[in-house]
């Protein structure tokens, strides 16, 4: 029997790595745009002030970039080391985006990062500017492919199960690339990176203003960052809206958990916090219709019929059909070489139930409910902080425009202390996305317990604690180096 | 006609090419392993770290892309080897993870561990990275202990397809002299390439003299191991596969592969000759700097030929010594025809990627690195 401790430790290890990775990546995505805009102003205006400003943020970018790379390679390896069944079962589809990411994005980042950082005196202004933009574009292209892969895990499309090779096989690459979940996930994640970069720059610049240092640098940085951040946040909200609609369509359990919605229906309420609800708003968010039907956790487990007459099976029925699919698959494997007629019958039975194949591994309906409290609160943290940070950036930009920012010390303090909040919002977002999908590694196809490697739980525990130590060490070092570099400052105003 | 078989062969060639490029780019690791050996003062150590520091991401990216390409084209290898030889891959991973942060952190104020600690990480990665990767590749010829049972998916209690049969989780590979020699050979090759790279990339006469001196002993060590490994490879039993996919042991299999595939043999011989030429010219001609331009392509050529010998000509490239029929061949564990075809279209962009890398690399390296340049520009 699959060791539940192995499942938990493997999940913990992946969550740990992904969580740490997402500390460093959003700053890379956001800061890349901000410093590229600054360098563009330098090239257009020819003012060395903007070169120095861009160079300072590049210095912080480089410190952060390295740790993002280090944590990223661990994620790639872990698909094989800890999730070997997953690697085979969906490798035909999942491996392609990873390989394309390497070919298209990583080489671009690696090459142009070196040019951007060391090439100031070796290339013309324009070529250097190109390199800076290409570093950021490379990071975003990388995000496209990994989020296509992740989007596919949320809403698997463009594939068929092949019982001969025992895996899902890609049949439509275009469907994979244009998967609506992947597209909204890409915009949501990349623009949340812009938010992170913006809040990081605004917060640090606010610190300089509080200290009465580097005023021109700080105000100029705030202006660029706030504009990038506001554009980013607006886009995060728009893509978040699509996310809600997609979750309602393809992952209703995730949406129900995020809302703590036990029993759904039409005019479903949106929960602000437990006990405080706004009637009908969830229906609007999920279906863009106040009369739209949103199923709750119990409806999904027990089966339900929407007002337009569409019927959805109960969890028990899905599990039953999943087991029938697994039985048919077993029969097919046993007879495929010896009895073609029997194999054809099994194949027919398999095809009839293959949609529920993954449910065959589920032991009881309760397993299909993700940890509701975690998803519920993570969603509130994400949305609440997102709204607060947008407001903050609007107020900061307004205050700067009115030339009042330097005197609004309370606002500068709020900006400074908002830096950890933007990271908290990002982490919460991924908790909603990934914990909300549980128990599935791939929605409805493969539960995490069937995706594992056959590894000793002790080995996974050992590597888990090793990674905890290594990542924490890296984070502490990075923060210390960043603090020292920030304290030292850009040195523009002597 | 683009058949499934052609696509499988094409992707094995691309994986081999990436392996060749990766081993060439391991010059970064090889050079780093000599930071405390060759350099005699801080200026020289700075030159060495900054010289490889402008290339390390290419090596790292090639490693990641090699893994990604293997995952995309031969996912059962990824699943079986990574999930099975757990400790070997984790060790490789950890050494590269430490390397990734060491450049950026080593010279920064507030780095907690001090400059030398990060340089020690570079040395550890420089030695262990190539050694472990080489040892792991050695098992492509000697085999590993695993079982593949795709029918296990229907077992709801334990649906794992690939199972490793040694509790040592891949570390058992070091018990085989061929694997260890293979690993050491790759390590000394990477050091040789690293020395040649620094001779080319750093303008410092004193350092050049010492680099050339170390080149002699490192290349000699590599050569001894290379001759031993090639001798063993040509005389060992190999893992062959017949037209029905049945896997069996064949004497002198890899020698037969070379003889059956004259182009691959030519790649091997020309590559080896180029490596030797690059080193000999660097040793014989005073202050000769272009040795890496012979040895680099030579390395790519030799490694590609070795990978082709491992996988082409009806050979199991990842043999199982526990259950011969579980062995992986490029036919029995590749991705589907559709995926390979799609990926083949994407692969057409590779020449463009190589072209822009070569263009910017050439521009960046137009002038060899000097202490003056480091003092007047950004540096690690």
């Amino acid at each position: 029997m699959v060791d539940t401790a192995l499942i938990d430790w493997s999940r913990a290890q992946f969550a740990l790595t992904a969580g740490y990775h997402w500390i460093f990546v959003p700053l890379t995505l956001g800061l890349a745009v901000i410093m590229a805009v600054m360098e563009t102003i330098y090239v257009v205006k020819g003012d060395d002030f903007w070169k120095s400003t861009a160079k300072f943020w590049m210095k912080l970018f480089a410190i952060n970039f390295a740790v993002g790379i280090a944590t990223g390679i661990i994620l790639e390896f872990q698909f094989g080391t800890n999730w070997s069944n997953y690697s085979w079962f969906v490798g035909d589809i999942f491996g392609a985006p990873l390989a394309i990411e390497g070919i298209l994005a990583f080489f671009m980042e690696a090459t142009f990062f070196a040019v951007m950082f060391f090439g100031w005196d070796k290339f013309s202004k324009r070529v250097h500017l190109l390199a800076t933009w290409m570093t950021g574009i490379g990071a975003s292209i990388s995000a496209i492919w990994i989020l296509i892969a992740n989007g596919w895990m949320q809403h698997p499309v463009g594939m068929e199960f092949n019982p001969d090779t025992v895996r899902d096989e890609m049949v439509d690459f275009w469907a994979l690339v244009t998967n609506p979940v992947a597209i909204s996930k890409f915009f949501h994640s990349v623009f949340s990176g812009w938010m992170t970069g913006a809040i990081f720059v605004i917060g640090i610049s606010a610190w300089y203003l509080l200290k009465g240092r580097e005023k021109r640098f700080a105000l100029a940085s705030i202006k660029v960052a706030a504009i990038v951040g506001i554009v980013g946040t607006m886009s995060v909200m728009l893509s978040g809206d699509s996310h809600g609609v997609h979750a309602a369509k393809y992952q209703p359990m995730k949406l129900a958990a995020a809302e703590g919605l036990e029993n759904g229906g039409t005019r479903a309420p949106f929960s602000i916090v437990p006990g405080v609800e706004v009637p009908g708003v969830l229906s609007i968010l999920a279906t863009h219709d106040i009369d739209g039907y949103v199923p709750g956790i119990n409806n999904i487990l027990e089966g339900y019929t929407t007002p337009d007459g569409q019927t959805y099976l109960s969890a028990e029925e899905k599990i039953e059909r999943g087991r029938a699919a697994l039985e048919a698959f077993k029969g097919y494997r046993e007879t495929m070489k010896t009895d073609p007629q029997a194999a054809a019958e099994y194949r027919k039975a398999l095809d009839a139930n293959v949609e529920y194949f993954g449910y065959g591994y589920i032991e009881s309906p309760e397993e299909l409910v993700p940890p509701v409290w975690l998803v519920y609160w993570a969603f509130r943290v994400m949305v609440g902080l997102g709204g607060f940070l947008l407001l903050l950036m609007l107020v900061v930009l307004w205050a700067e425009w009115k030339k009042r920012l330097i005197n609004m010390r309370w606002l500068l303090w709020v900006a400074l202390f908002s830096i950890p909040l933007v990271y908290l919002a990002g982490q919460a977002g991924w908790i909603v996305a990934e914990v909300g999908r549980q128990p599935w590694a791939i929605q409805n196809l493969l539960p995490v317990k069937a995706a594992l490697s056959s590894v000793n739980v002790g080995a996974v525990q050992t590597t888990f604690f090793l990674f905890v130590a290594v990542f924490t060490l890296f984070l502490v070092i990075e923060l210390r180096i960043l603090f020292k570099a920030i304290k030292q400052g850009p040195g523009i105003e002597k | 006609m683009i058949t499934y078989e052609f696509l499988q062969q094409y992707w094995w060639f691309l994986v081999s090419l990436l392996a060749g490029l990766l081993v060439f780019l391991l010059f970064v690791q090889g050079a780093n392993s000599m930071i405390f050996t060759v350099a005699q003062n801080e200026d020289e150590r700075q030159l060495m770290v900054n010289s490889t520091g402008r290339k390390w991401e290419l090596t790292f990216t090639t490693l990641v892309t090699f893994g990604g390409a293997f995952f995309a084209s031969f996912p059962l290898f990824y699943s079986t080897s990574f999930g099975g030889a757990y400790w070997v891959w984790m060790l490789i991973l950890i050494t590269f993870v430490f390397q990734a942060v060491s450049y950026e952190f080593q010279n920064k104020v507030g780095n907690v561990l001090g400059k030398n600690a990060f340089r020690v990480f570079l040395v550890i990665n420089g030695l262990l990275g190539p050694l472990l990767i080489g040892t792991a590749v050695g098992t492509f010829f000697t085999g590993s202990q695993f079982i593949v049972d795709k029918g296990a998916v229907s077992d709801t209690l334990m649906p794992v397809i690939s199972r490793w049969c040694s509790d040592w989780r891949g570390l058992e590979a070091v018990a085989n002299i061929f694997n260890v020699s293979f690993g050491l050979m790759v390590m000394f090759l990477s050091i040789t390439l690293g020395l040649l790279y620094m001779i080319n990339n750093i303008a410092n006469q004193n350092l050049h003299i010492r680099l050339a001196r170390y080149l002699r002993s490192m290349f000699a060590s590599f050569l001894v191991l290379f001759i031993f490994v090639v001798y063993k490879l040509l005389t060992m039993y190999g893992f062959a596969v017949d037209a029905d996919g049945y896997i069996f042991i064949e004497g002198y299999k890899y020698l037969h592969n070379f003889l059956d595939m004259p182009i691959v043999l030519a790649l091997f011989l020309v590559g080896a000759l180029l490596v030797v030429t690059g080193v000999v010219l660097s040793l014989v001609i005073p202050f000769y700097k272009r040795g890496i331009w012979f040895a680099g392509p030579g390395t790519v050529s030799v490694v590609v030929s070795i990978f082709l010998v491992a996988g082409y000509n009806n050979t199991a490239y990842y043999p199982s010594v526990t259950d011969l029929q579980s062995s992986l061949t490029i036919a029995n564990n590749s991705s589907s025809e559709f995926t390979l075809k799609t990926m083949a279209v994407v692969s057409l962009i590779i020449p463009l990627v190589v072209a822009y890398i070569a263009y910017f690399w050439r521009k960046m390296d137009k002038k060899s690195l000097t202490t003056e340049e480091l003092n007047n520009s950004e540096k690690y």
Side-chain angles (χ1 to χ4, degrees):
Chain A
M1 188 167 172
V2 180
D3 188 346
T4 50
L6 178 63
I7 302 171
D8 291 341
W9 282 104
S10 299
R11 286 169 69 188
Q13 184 168 310
F14 201 85
L16 173 84
T17 315
Y20 265 97
H21 189 53
W22 195 249
I23 292 175
F24 308 105
V25 171
L27 186 59
T28 298
L29 291 167
L31 211 45
V33 176
I34 291 168
M35 63 200 199
V37 170
M38 289 170 172
E39 195 182 331
T40 306
I41 300 173
Y42 158 63
V43 172
V44 172
K45 286 191 169 179
D47 182 350
D48 277 348
F49 162 78
W50 283 102
K51 181 181 177 184
S52 305
T53 303
K55 277 184 96 168
F56 175 74
W57 295 113
M58 274 176 198
K59 191 172 162 185
L60 304 192
F61 175 90
I63 295 164
N64 178 73
F65 189 64
V67 194
I69 295 176
T71 47
I73 194 176
I74 300 176
L75 283 176
E76 189 198 15
F77 270 56
Q78 275 184 9
F79 285 120
T81 53
N82 293 54
W83 305 96
S84 73
N85 236 29
Y86 171 96
S87 295
W88 170 249
F89 200 75
V90 300
D92 194 62
I93 306 135
F94 195 83
L98 288 193
I100 297 172
E101 184 187 17
I103 294 168
L104 292 185
F106 290 158
F107 282 112
M108 193 186 279
E109 282 183 274
T111 305
F112 290 110
F113 176 84
V115 174
M116 176 183 82
F117 208 64
F118 302 107
W120 285 102
D121 302 325
K122 293 175 188 278
F123 296 91
S124 69
K125 276 183 187 177
R126 284 174 192 280
V127 173
H128 190 277
L129 178 64
L130 173 77
T132 304
W133 276 108
M134 293 304 272
T135 304
I137 290 169
S140 295
I141 292 177
S142 161
I144 288 177
W145 291 101
I146 195 63
L147 291 169
I148 282 174
N150 184 272
W152 184 82
M153 290 167 72
Q154 315 286 345
H155 175 46
V157 290
M159 84 294 164
E160 276 174 8
F161 179 66
N162 182 343
D164 294 323
T165 53
V166 195
R167 64 182 176 191
D168 281 305
E169 293 182 349
M170 183 160 43
V171 293
D172 186 350
F173 183 67
W174 189 240
L176 194 73
V177 173
T178 57
N179 183 351
V181 177
I183 291 170
S184 59
K185 199 165 252 308
F186 166 71
F187 286 114
H188 203 62
S189 306
V190 169
F191 286 120
S192 77
W194 289 30
M195 264 179 89
T196 308
I199 294 294
F200 180 82
V201 170
I202 291 170
I204 291 167
S205 302
W207 182 79
Y208 284 121
L209 293 178
L210 284 166
K211 290 280 171 189
R213 292 174 54 189
E214 311 285 356
K215 284 182 192 165
R216 186 183 171 201
F217 161 84
L219 291 173
S221 296
I222 284 175
K223 214 179 288 175
V224 172
I227 292 168
V228 169
I230 290 166
V231 171
T233 312
M234 298 290 201
S235 308
V236 165
M237 288 167 74
L238 278 175
S239 52
D241 174 64
S242 318
H243 254 339
V245 175
H246 294 146
K249 261 190 199 168
Y250 310 122
Q251 297 178 295
M253 182 61 90
K254 181 193 279 186
L255 183 69
E259 280 305 306
L261 187 70
E262 290 184 1
N263 297 298
T266 55
R267 297 198 172 223
F270 178 81
S271 166
I272 294 174
V273 287
V276 183
E277 294 178 341
V278 188
V281 171
L282 180 59
S283 284
I284 295 174
L285 291 175
T287 64
H288 290 174
D289 175 4
I290 195 164
D291 292 319
Y293 181 89
V294 182
I297 294 168
N298 293 334
N299 307 113
I300 296 166
L301 293 183
E302 290 159 12
Y304 60 97
T305 304
T306 55
D308 60 5
Q310 211 166 344
T311 301
Y312 292 85
L313 298 185
S314 70
E316 288 283 6
E317 287 168 309
K318 288 177 186 169
I319 291 170
E320 208 173 295
R321 289 190 62 178
R323 286 175 186 162
L326 276 176
E327 274 305 307
F329 166 75
K330 192 176 177 185
Y332 177 80
R333 294 287 302 178
E334 284 166 0
T335 56
M336 59 192 268
K337 285 182 184 161
T338 54
D339 186 350
Q341 206 175 346
E345 285 299 315
Y346 282 122
R347 179 71 196 254
K348 214 169 144 189
L350 174 62
D351 289 345
N353 296 295
V354 75
E355 191 184 341
Y356 302 98
F357 191 89
Y359 284 88
Y361 298 103
I362 304 294
E363 284 163 44
S364 69
E366 291 72 37
E367 257 184 68
L368 296 167
V369 183
V372 175
W373 68 270
L374 182 57
V375 181
Y376 177 87
W377 282 110
F379 185 69
R380 262 126 213 95
V381 168
M382 175 186 73
V383 174
L385 288 178
F388 165 73
L389 294 169
L390 174 63
L391 185 67
L392 173 70
M393 286 186 282
L394 287 168
V395 174
V396 164
L397 190 61
W398 171 81
E400 155 54 15
W401 184 48
K402 292 284 180 188
K403 311 283 182 213
R404 291 184 193 170
L405 184 60
I406 293 179
N407 298 323
M408 297 170 76
R409 293 182 69 81
W410 66 270
L411 184 59
L412 296 174
W413 280 112
V414 171
L416 176 60
F417 285 108
S418 292
I419 296 177
L421 299 184
V422 77
Y423 284 94
L424 189 60
Q427 294 288 328
W430 277 107
I431 289 172
V432 174
E434 297 299 294
V435 178
R437 196 189 58 234
Q438 300 303 311
W440 302 104
I442 299 148
Q443 186 71 38
N444 299 340
L445 279 185
L446 190 72
V448 286
K449 66 179 174 185
L452 289 165
S453 300
S454 170
V455 192
N456 186 302
V457 68
V460 182
Q461 285 170 327
T462 307
T463 45
F464 173 85
F465 288 112
L466 179 70
F467 288 143
V468 168
V470 170
F471 295 158
T472 308
L473 176 70
F474 287 175
L475 184 62
V476 168
I477 295 172
E478 166 163 338
L479 288 176
R480 269 201 61 165
I481 293 175
L482 280 176
F483 290 156
K484 296 269 182 192
I486 292 164
K487 206 170 167 188
Q488 193 186 16
I492 296 172
E493 292 167 24
K494 301 293 177 197
Chain B
M1 180 77 180
I2 298 175
T3 61
Y4 191 21
E5 194 186 359
F6 169 81
L7 288 165
Q8 288 167 331
Q9 305 264 335
Y10 173 71
W11 271 97
W12 184 255
F13 173 75
L14 284 188
V15 165
S16 304
L17 184 61
L18 278 167
L21 290 169
L22 175 62
V23 176
F24 163 46
L25 291 167
L26 285 178
F27 69 73
V28 167
Q29 274 60 33
N32 285 344
S33 70
M34 304 299 280
I35 292 172
F36 294 109
T37 317
V38 177
Q40 287 185 340
N41 54 49
E42 179 56 22
D43 278 353
E44 290 180 355
R45 275 189 283 277
Q46 284 251 348
L47 279 169
M48 289 175 71
V49 169
N50 277 279
S51 173
T52 58
R54 296 174 184 195
K55 300 291 181 306
W56 78 269
E57 284 184 61
L58 282 179
T59 310
F60 204 85
T61 300
T62 308
L63 173 66
V64 172
T65 307
F66 174 70
F70 231 135
F71 190 7
S73 50
F74 301 99
L76 194 52
F77 167 78
Y78 205 78
S79 160
T80 303
S81 181
F82 279 55
Y86 191 80
W87 286 118
V88 173
W89 292 111
M90 282 294 176
L91 275 173
I92 292 173
L93 184 61
I94 286 291
T95 71
F96 275 90
V97 162
F98 271 96
Q99 185 234 21
V101 297
S102 291
Y103 283 107
E104 193 57 46
F105 288 176
Q106 51 103 29
N107 211 16
K108 292 277 189 302
V109 181
N111 69 9
V112 182
L113 302 178
K115 188 184 288 179
N116 277 346
F118 290 102
R119 289 181 177 172
V120 168
F121 293 148
L122 291 179
V123 173
I124 292 172
N125 168 254
L127 294 171
L128 277 185
L131 177 68
L132 290 167
I133 289 174
T135 306
V137 173
T139 63
F140 280 32
F141 302 97
T142 55
S144 302
Q145 300 176 36
F146 64 87
I147 293 171
V148 174
D149 174 16
K150 290 179 185 169
V153 162
S154 63
D155 178 2
T156 53
L157 299 179
M158 199 63 198
V160 182
I161 289 171
S162 302
R163 287 167 188 280
W164 205 256
C165 302
S166 162
D167 291 339
W168 288 91
R169 287 278 164 186
L171 295 178
E172 70 278 1
V174 299
N176 184 304
I177 186 74
F178 178 84
N179 297 340
V180 176
S181 306
F182 206 105
L184 287 169
M185 177 186 75
V186 175
M187 187 185 86
F188 280 109
L189 174 62
S190 72
I191 296 174
T192 302
L193 292 169
L195 294 168
L196 289 171
Y197 165 74
M198 288 190 290
I199 285 171
N200 178 272
N201 195 251
I202 299 173
N204 181 310
Q205 206 163 329
N206 290 335
L207 199 55
H208 190 135
I209 293 166
R210 260 173 280 128
L211 289 167
R213 196 185 308 146
Y214 278 100
L215 179 62
R216 197 174 303 139
S217 54
M218 293 299 150
F219 179 66
S221 307
F222 161 71
L223 203 58
V224 170
L225 287 157
F226 180 71
I227 291 166
F228 173 75
V229 166
V230 171
Y231 167 76
K232 291 290 282 182
L233 185 69
L234 297 180
T235 55
M236 72 200 307
Y237 288 100
F239 299 82
V241 53
D242 69 15
D244 297 324
Y246 182 79
I247 292 146
F248 60 98
I249 301 281
E250 181 183 319
Y252 301 100
K253 171 63 181 161
Y254 303 111
L255 174 63
H256 294 162
N257 283 359
F258 271 123
L259 297 175
D260 291 345
M261 299 184 288
I263 295 174
V264 175
L265 179 62
L267 267 180
F268 178 82
L269 294 174
V270 170
L273 192 66
L274 282 171
V275 173
V276 173
T277 305
V279 174
V280 170
L281 288 174
S282 302
L283 291 175
V284 172
I285 304 172
F287 297 105
Y288 184 77
K289 295 178 77 169
R290 295 178 181 273
I292 188 70
W293 294 116
F294 292 96
T299 299
V300 176
S301 186
V302 170
V303 175
V304 168
S305 72
I306 288 176
F307 265 75
L308 295 184
V309 159
Y312 277 4
N313 201 36
N314 304 316
T315 311
Y317 74 86
Y318 200 60
S320 168
V321 290
T322 307
D323 171 31
L324 214 49
Q325 301 317 312
S326 290
S327 302
L328 307 185
T329 70
I330 60 176
N332 74 7
N333 83 105
S334 75
S335 283
S336 66
E337 184 173 356
F338 182 86
T339 294
L340 291 184
K341 200 180 280 180
T342 307
M343 295 287 300
V345 174
V346 175
S347 75
L348 297 177
I349 205 167
I350 290 175
L352 179 70
V353 174
V354 173
Y356 78 68
I357 292 172
Y359 173 77
F360 281 100
W361 187 341
R362 200 174 147 70
K363 290 282 254 186
M364 289 283 284
D365 285 356
K366 217 170 181 180
K367 285 184 188 163
S368 297
L369 193 62
T370 60
T371 304
E372 290 70 44
E373 186 189 329
L374 286 185
N375 291 337
N376 296 321
S377 66
E378 295 292 337
K379 65 178 175 188
Y380 284 118

